[in-house]
Amino acid sequence: MAPRSGVDIVCHEKSPEHPIGTRNGMKPFARATQRLGWWLVSTENLDTLDIALAARLRSIALDAARLAAPILREAFRSGVSSENKTNAHDLVTDFDRRSETVIRDHLLAAEPDSGVLGEEGGKVGEGSLQWIVDPIDGTSNFTHGVAFFCISIAAALDGVLLAGVVLDPIAELEFTADAQHAYLNGRIMAPSQRPEQLHANIMTDYPSAEALAADGETALQEFGSWVSSFATVRRKVSAALALAHVAAGWCDATIGFDTKIWDVSAGALLVRRSGGQYLGYRYDDLELPAQEAPCFLALGPGADYPVLDQSISRIIGERMAKGFDS
């Protein structure tokens, strides 16, 4: 399948390793580091990963996503009914559940001693290897006929991300990552250096209705600062697919608050393996992987956008003062 027009893709054997979890010259670190009263979290250095294991898990996850994709493709724009999960902004459909069941069954058959953490079905199985599954990231888009949703599957060993898959079933785009590279439809992704802030485009789900309730005027002011500072700001309401677009070089950055581990795990690895940065932010000092943090900033190669740093500092700082925890 030909790559989407405009994406930077190279097909070389080996690409330079990029720092993981670095920001503004900081080096990777295992412990959370306090900055300005909030906490920036980095995952472990991944240089020692078993490359063959990561490649195999990537293949298993991709096969699982491919099994579920036709279910969503056939249902899309066919009058899908939904129900509220937590509120009117958080929807679930029978297709979420069907997709997750197909994915879970395949993963556990391939790796019986693993566990699956799914958005809809919770934890099934036990093991140091954990699959993290969002059967439809962007259910609201799927329900309303908007072609921006995906299947997201990640594999983590003792909390360290090994492999990730984000599959867009409508555009037929397969974003994958292992211990060495990120790929689009099997070809290595290597985006060029991202533009300066004024010419950059970003994606975000912020502010949601919940964020407006939590952050009040701050939410509107910070969103307004992004509209003024960037060439384009898009609210696409699928964190996983937004992260995949950063990895491909189609989007320069994405920022998120109040996310769950299944929203971001696969996309976080995609961004890192394509040469970008994925940074997780917490309200406490617990030493947990970045994908488990409730807030994140993902940047394409060379991207440095001070307005986003300022927003994170303000929003998280104000939430901590209100007693938020991770």
Side-chain angles (χ1 to χ4, degrees):
M1 184 180 299
R4 177 172 169 176
S5 175
V7 67
D8 299 304
I9 300 179
V10 296
C11 296
H12 51 72
E13 298 255 337
K14 195 170 184 180
S15 65
E17 280 295 314
H18 299 273
I20 296 168
T22 61
R23 184 80 181 113
N24 296 333
M26 294 189 297
K27 297 190 180 295
F29 44 85
R31 292 180 58 82
T33 301
Q34 191 173 21
R35 297 177 62 204
L36 304 177
W38 40 270
W39 295 86
L40 167 64
V41 183
S42 172
T43 56
E44 298 87 345
N45 191 311
L46 303 182
D47 291 343
T48 59
L49 285 180
D50 185 326
I51 293 173
L53 173 61
R56 184 166 63 83
L57 296 176
R58 167 180 167 258
S59 178
I60 293 170
L62 180 56
D63 286 345
R66 284 172 172 171
L67 288 173
I71 297 172
L72 307 187
R73 199 156 39 235
E74 291 166 13
F76 184 56
R77 292 177 178 165
S78 66
V80 174
S81 60
S82 63
E83 58 191 79
N84 295 351
K85 188 160 55 174
T86 58
N87 55 50
H89 308 285
D90 184 17
L91 305 179
V92 65
T93 71
D94 286 339
F95 297 101
D96 291 80
R97 301 184 184 99
R98 286 177 57 189
S99 175
E100 185 167 316
T101 298
V102 167
I103 291 167
R104 182 178 63 239
D105 289 350
H106 181 82
L107 298 176
L108 292 179
E111 289 289 336
D113 295 326
S114 64
V116 175
L117 174 61
E119 178 178 9
E120 309 307 335
K123 289 185 177 181
V124 177
E126 294 289 340
S128 58
L129 174 64
Q130 183 182 60
W131 302 98
I132 305 160
V133 177
D134 193 338
I136 309 179
D137 186 58
T139 299
S140 179
N141 288 340
F142 172 71
T143 301
H144 292 98
V146 178
F148 199 87
F149 60 91
C150 65
I151 298 163
S152 177
I153 306 172
L157 184 64
D158 295 323
V160 179
L161 292 172
L162 303 183
V165 169
V166 171
L167 190 152
D168 180 337
I170 304 305
E172 298 186 314
L173 298 172
E174 297 175 345
F175 304 90
T176 62
D178 55 25
Q180 293 183 297
H181 304 295
Y183 312 85
L184 173 57
N185 294 341
R187 302 179 66 190
I188 294 172
M189 295 191 291
S192 58
Q193 294 289 293
R194 299 297 86 201
E196 62 183 12
Q197 184 169 280
L198 182 62
H199 301 293
N201 80 92
I202 71 167
M203 290 187 188
T204 186
D205 298 347
Y206 186 87
S208 63
E210 294 82 359
L212 283 171
D215 302 330
E217 285 297 316
T218 292
L220 298 177
Q221 290 167 5
E222 293 306 310
F223 186 80
S225 73
W226 304 344
V227 173
S228 299
S229 300
F230 292 101
T232 309
V233 178
R234 296 181 174 89
R235 292 192 74 255
K236 302 294 286 189
V237 201
S238 172
L241 198 49
L243 288 163
H245 281 227
V246 172
W250 304 335
C251 175
D252 302 311
T254 181
I255 185 171
F257 298 85
D258 311 308
T259 54
K260 305 297 185 183
I261 188 171
W262 45 76
D263 298 321
V264 299
S265 291
L269 190 61
L270 287 170
V271 170
R272 293 181 185 136
R273 288 293 175 246
S274 66
Q277 300 178 72
Y278 179 90
L279 306 167
Y281 299 88
R282 302 181 58 83
Y283 310 111
D284 55 43
D285 61 349
L286 294 180
E287 298 175 28
L288 297 173
Q291 67 269 16
E292 297 185 27
C295 311
F296 75 89
L297 173 62
L299 301 158
D304 183 16
Y305 304 139
V307 68
L308 298 181
D309 293 331
Q310 293 163 10
S311 294
I312 287 169
S313 180
R314 181 183 181 187
I315 293 167
I316 295 182
E318 290 185 5
R319 287 184 173 191
M320 288 181 68
K322 295 175 183 177
F324 272 60
D325 59 44
S326 298

